[in-house]
Amino acid sequence: MTQTPDAALVPIDRLIEIMACLRDPASGCPWDLEQDFKSIAAYTVEEAYEVADAIERGQYDELKDELGDLLLQVVFHARMAQEAGLFDFDGVAAAINDKMIRRHPHVFGDAVERDSVAQTVEWEAQKARERAASPKGDGVLADIPLALPAVKRAQKLQARAARVGFDWPNAEQVFDKIDEEIGEVKAAIRLNDPEEIAEEIGDLMFVCTNLGRKLNVNVEAATRSANAKFERRFNYIERRLAAKGRRPDDASLEEMEALWDEAKQIDKASKNRPA
C-alpha cells in the first residue's frame, strides 16, 4: 500500500504528491494509469462547465469543490507531461506568472496608467505579438481553440476579425443579414436537402451570434440563461400536471402552452419583486 502524502504539506504540494502516487506504475490506480492527454481532456472541459454552473446558480460552497476538481485536472495533465519529459506543474505556474506580468505592463511595468478600454487594446496587441512568435502562426484567427463550445468560438472568431476591420458598422446591418439567412434556410427546406438545411441553419446561428456581439452580449452566457429558463418553465408544466396525476405526454399542446404562459408570468413577477 502506498503511504498517503503528508497532511502537513502545503495543500498544492500535497495534491501534486497524491497525483504522483496515483500515477505510480507499481502501486498506482489502474484507471489513472490508463489515461493520457486526450482521454482526460473531456473531463477537463466537463469540470470547467461545472465551475460555470456553480457560479450561475450562486452555489459558492459547491464552487470551492468544483474549482478543486478543475485544479486536479491541471495537476493531472502536468503529471503526465512530467512523465513524458515535457514540463511539470512548476513550469505551468511559471508560464502563467510570466504571461500575466508581460500582459499587464500598466501594473508590473513602467507603462502609463490606462482605462479598461485602452488596457484591452494593449492586451490584444501583446497577444498578437505572442502569436507572431508562436509556431501556430500569426494569423488573426490562429490560436482560437477548436474545442471551445461552438457559440463561444463563433463569438471569438467574429471579435478577432472585427479588430482588423472585418465587421458590420452597426447592428442594423446584422438584422438585414439575419433576414437573408432566414430566406436561405427556407429555400433549403423547399429543396428538401438535409445537408443544405444544416449548413444554412449553421449560418443563421453564426449571424445571430454576431448580433449578440455587436450588442455587447455574451452569447454563450445568454444561451445558458435561455436554457435554464426553458428548463425552469418546462419543470413548472411537469409539476402542475403531476399535481393532477398526469404527465406531459398525456396533455395537449394547448394545455402545456397555457401552463407555459403561467410559468412565464411567474418569472416576470419574480423579476419585478422588490429586493
Side-chain angles (χ1 to χ4, degrees), residues 89 164 223 259:
F89 183 84
V164 295
T223 304
L259 291 171

Side-chain angles (χ1 to χ4, degrees), residues 72-88:
L72 174 64
Q73 296 298 308
V74 177
V75 171
F76 205 145
H77 283 287
R79 178 64 197 183
M80 291 187 292
Q82 183 176 348
E83 293 166 1
L86 301 173
F87 54 82
D88 59 11

Side-chain angles (χ1 to χ4, degrees), residues 5-19:
D6 191 348
L9 287 170
V10 173
I12 186 60
D13 290 340
R14 190 171 191 233
L15 179 58
I16 292 169
E17 285 298 314
I18 289 170
M19 180 51 64

Side-chain angles (χ1 to χ4, degrees), residues 13 66 69 77 92 106 110 130 147 158 180 184 204 226 266 274:
D13 290 340
E66 299 300 350
D69 291 344
H77 283 287
V92 173
H106 53 290
D110 55 4
E130 291 170 10
Q158 294 158 359
E180 177 186 326
E184 292 180 2
L204 177 59
I266 291 170

Side-chain angles (χ1 to χ4, degrees), residues 108-218:
F108 302 110
D110 55 4
V112 297
E113 185 176 353
R114 302 182 178 91
D115 60 25
S116 61
V117 174
Q119 288 169 12
T120 299
V121 170
E122 175 55 30
W123 175 280
E124 292 300 332
Q126 177 59 39
K127 287 173 68 176
R129 290 190 288 271
E130 291 170 10
R131 284 198 300 274
S134 169
K136 295 179 183 177
D138 62 353
V140 173
L141 310 178
D143 62 343
I144 300 176
L146 288 170
L148 284 174
V151 171
K152 188 172 185 63
R153 190 165 192 268
Q155 200 157 18
K156 280 184 171 291
L157 289 167
Q158 294 158 359
R160 189 71 66 77
R163 292 190 187 108
V164 295
F166 191 70
D167 194 15
W168 283 290
N170 55 64
E172 283 302 317
Q173 291 174 306
V174 187
F175 280 113
D176 292 340
K177 186 64 175 176
I178 288 173
D179 290 339
E180 177 186 326
E181 294 297 346
I182 290 173
E184 292 180 2
V185 171
K186 291 178 177 178
I189 292 170
R190 286 194 295 271
L191 292 173
N192 196 26
D193 183 335
E195 289 187 8
E196 187 73 12
I197 292 169
E199 181 176 343
E200 297 301 343
I201 289 287
D203 290 347
L204 177 59
M205 293 293 293
F206 191 85
V207 178
C208 287
T209 299
N210 218 338
L211 176 63
R213 181 189 62 82
K214 292 294 289 184
L215 298 174
N216 297 316
V217 172
N218 181 327

Side-chain angles (χ1 to χ4, degrees), residues 1 8 20 32 35-36 43 66 87 104 125 165 175 185 188 198 203 222 230 233 240 250 272:
M1 179 181 293
D32 289 276
Q35 306 312 308
D36 57 24
Y43 295 99
E66 299 300 350
F87 54 82
H104 292 83
F175 280 113
V185 171
D203 290 347
F230 181 89
R233 292 178 183 177
R240 287 294 308 276
D250 300 326
N272 295 328

